[in-house]
Amino acid sequence: MFSESVRCLVVVGAQWGDEGKGKLVDVLAEQATIVARYQGGANAGHTVRVEDDEFILHLIPSGILYRKTRCLLGNGVVVDPWNLVDEMDSLRARGVDLDGRLGLSKRAHLVLPYHRALDQAHEVNRDAEKKIGTTGRGIGPAYRDKVARVGVRVGDLADMGRASDLVEAGCGAANPTLERLAAEPVDPEAVMMGLEEVRPTLLGLATDTGHEVRSGLAAGGRVLLEGAQGALLDIDHGTYPFVTSSTTTAGGAAAGVGIGPTLIDEVLGVVKAYTTRVGNGPLPTELDGDEAERLRQLGGEFGATTGRPRRPGWFDANVVRYAAGVNGLTSLAVTKLDVLDTFAEMRLATGYELDGEPVGPFPDSVDDLDRVTPVYAEHQGWQSDTTGCRSWDDLPSQARQYLRRLEAESTVPIRYVSIGAARAETIKISAGGVSALH
Ligand code: IMP
């Protein structure tokens, strides 16, 4: 992927998150000098397997597991300072050297205890059909404060008087709502005491991520911008209001790290060979009953952040075509193909119908998306173990056929097929995608 001409690559989720971006970023980070997150916060959960060790990262980019890579949290990320410090401690405890390898934008906003409390209290108090099913990590309220221009930024910790005024005002605004929602108010002094403890670590990491990325590229380095969540959870392009509060699509990468879009060379979309969603909102190809349970168990489909069971469904090419458009995808990575190994047959949605009519552009309304009927292509399964396959030719012919159809319907060339969590369990495909292969 990092061919000679590719200096800056964005990796995004092209479904509803949990596509396996962490693994792909880990594989690609070997060639990167910088890996940067540009949005989201500790709502993300990126699972990376290195030999027999499994790491679940929430804030720190997956590139941290290579010794040479510099990892950045861009201005577009919202950072829970205590989460970050815990994550750093647990990586260090497992022998990962972080010295000089981690940078945090001075412009990034902090997620503070009142954001978390508001997120959780709002969710509890929403009527069942209106619950978003957030991760409860304070993401929405933190972005709301950012946009309302009352947030606390990493750089504000350089002046604790200023930080204290902001925290005081933040608690002042949050507490009446918390009390109305029957939740505990947040004590600004306790927040400041907590911030005093983490302040030296945060200020020690503080940097200008845009400047670092621009200079890194100018010096001939390679940069990987790591998205969190997925296109269908994007605040503008996702299944609003059942979305997260940031721009998860590739357009957000430039703004969220501090570079211009002209510096981005390629956008890799990561998709599972089927679909999952965690949290509420429409999922047209959703399965239920035994088939759903089978896919959930075989795929280990439980949230990396909250442990919640994910909702499984068949691969939906409508979703991926749409994600290709809103992200400008130049290539695709298909993960978890091996999870389908034992299925005698599978389905792949190629279109939607609404009230008996074909649906044109991807619906903007969740009510319509709830009512669409997927049009399916049926596929015979390959019923053999693909985890040992290391090349396109090793894959069973039915699996190759499935991937060809998936590529044709998604309209984006496949460049990677993942058949297991380990780094080696990754098949690289040449530039033309699988349609150019036998
Ligand atoms: P929030 O980001 O915690 O506000 O949650 C909003 C929606 O995004 C909920 O449906 C969450 O389940 C979903 N979500 C947030 N982060 C992730 C993720 O990393 N993977 C999958 N879903 C996510």
Side-chain angles (χ1 to χ4, degrees), residues 53 85 94 105 131 147 153 161 173 205 211 237 264 301 304 314 340 362 366 392 408:
D53 256 352
V85 170
R94 294 174 70 181
S105 170
K131 282 191 201 299
V147 175
R153 306 199 300 174
L205 301 176
H211 178 73
H237 305 291
I264 294 170
E301 297 298 352
W314 294 123
L340 299 178
F362 195 80
V366 285
W392 174 250

Side-chain angles (χ1 to χ4, degrees), residues 16-18 43-45 132-136 139 229 233 243-244 278-279 308:
W16 274 278
D18 307 318
N43 48 350
I132 294 166
T134 73
T135 58
I139 305 299
Q229 291 87 43
L233 289 172
V243 291
T244 191
V278 60
R308 291 179 291 176

Side-chain angles (χ1 to χ4, degrees), residues 123-138:
E123 260 314 268
V124 169
N125 283 276
R126 274 187 193 113
D127 293 339
E129 76 282 3
K130 293 205 170 126
K131 282 191 201 299
I132 294 166
T134 73
T135 58
R137 297 291 191 271

Side-chain angles (χ1 to χ4, degrees), residues 52-89:
D52 288 335
D53 256 352
E54 187 173 89
F55 294 83
I56 297 183
L57 301 164
H58 299 286
L59 276 166
I60 298 179
S62 312
I64 201 72
L65 302 174
Y66 288 99
R67 248 181 266 148
K68 298 185 301 327
T69 319
R70 171 108 172 128
C71 288
L72 302 175
L73 296 172
N75 53 278
V77 176
V78 287
V79 182
D80 180 319
W82 301 278
N83 259 169
L84 178 61
V85 170
D86 283 352
E87 203 163 301
M88 289 171 69
D89 288 346

